[in-house]
Amino acid sequence: ARCLDHAGCLLDVLDHFSALDTDKNGVLSRAELEDAVVRHHHKTAELFVGRYHDPHHAGCARAVALSNTSAAALKVSGEDEGGRAWAVDASAEGRAVTADFSSKGGGSLLGNWTSGGITWADGNEWQRLPSAAPPSSCTSPPKDALETGSAAPPLAATTAV
């Protein structure tokens, strides 16, 4: 991680040239450099890959997977009460993840890796499930509706992801 200035970045490229030059022609093409950036983002994002428990939507599936697109390294997906499936793009940098929940009525939300899960900026904490955990079953109303005895608020008004 010497890439703090231009000289450090050039030294990093030279140190890793043979791995970057995938067609072994002695020249780094734009495509080879773009592929290296995508591989780097996927490697960084692997920390977050897995299935999670969301206490704001008990029993509802939550998953983080590597994305097949270069625009976003991660795909965060889930199912909410009533079987409403959703998926959003996310990116990771170190122990931080940013997910764009605008398609669910929210906005961009920052999360940080903590011991065993993701703590989101809105206070929600997703705990990673063991790989052998049974499939989720999401049929109950959101946590907020259970606590107040009222119907679930519109999605745009909630802070839970």
Side-chain angles (χ1 to χ4, degrees):
R2 297 183 307 213
C3 199
L4 301 176
D5 59 22
H6 292 292
C9 289
L10 288 173
L11 289 173
D12 277 351
V13 169
L14 290 174
D15 286 349
H16 298 95
F17 188 88
S18 64
L20 297 170
D21 186 20
T22 56
D23 62 10
K24 305 300 181 207
N25 68 352
V27 177
L28 291 180
S29 69
R30 180 180 186 95
E32 287 171 320
L33 290 172
E34 288 173 350
D35 287 345
V37 169
V38 169
R39 284 192 312 271
H40 168 74
H41 285 294
H42 277 181
K43 185 175 181 180
T44 302
E46 287 175 0
L47 171 67
F48 296 96
V49 172
R51 293 179 29 216
Y52 293 86
H53 164 72
D54 178 353
H56 291 172
H57 298 274
C60 296
R62 298 289 184 262
V64 178
L66 293 176
S67 175
N68 291 329
T69 68
S70 60
L74 294 170
K75 185 67 74 175
V76 179
S77 61
E79 183 179 297
D80 288 339
E81 294 73 19
R84 294 173 299 196
W86 53 267
V88 300
D89 289 331
S91 60
E93 186 64 42
R95 298 174 69 82
V97 61
T98 303
D100 179 8
F101 288 100
S102 57
S103 63
K104 286 189 62 176
S108 186
L109 193 61
L110 176 67
N112 289 293
W113 181 258
T114 57
S115 61
I118 303 170
T119 299
W120 296 99
D122 66 359
N124 195 2
E125 295 183 26
W126 291 6
Q127 291 299 309
R128 187 185 314 233
L129 296 172
S131 57
S136 62
S137 116
C138 182
T139 57
S140 61
K143 180 181 174 186
D144 296 15
L146 292 175
E147 291 173 357
T148 63
S150 64
L155 191 53
T158 67
T159 57
V161 269

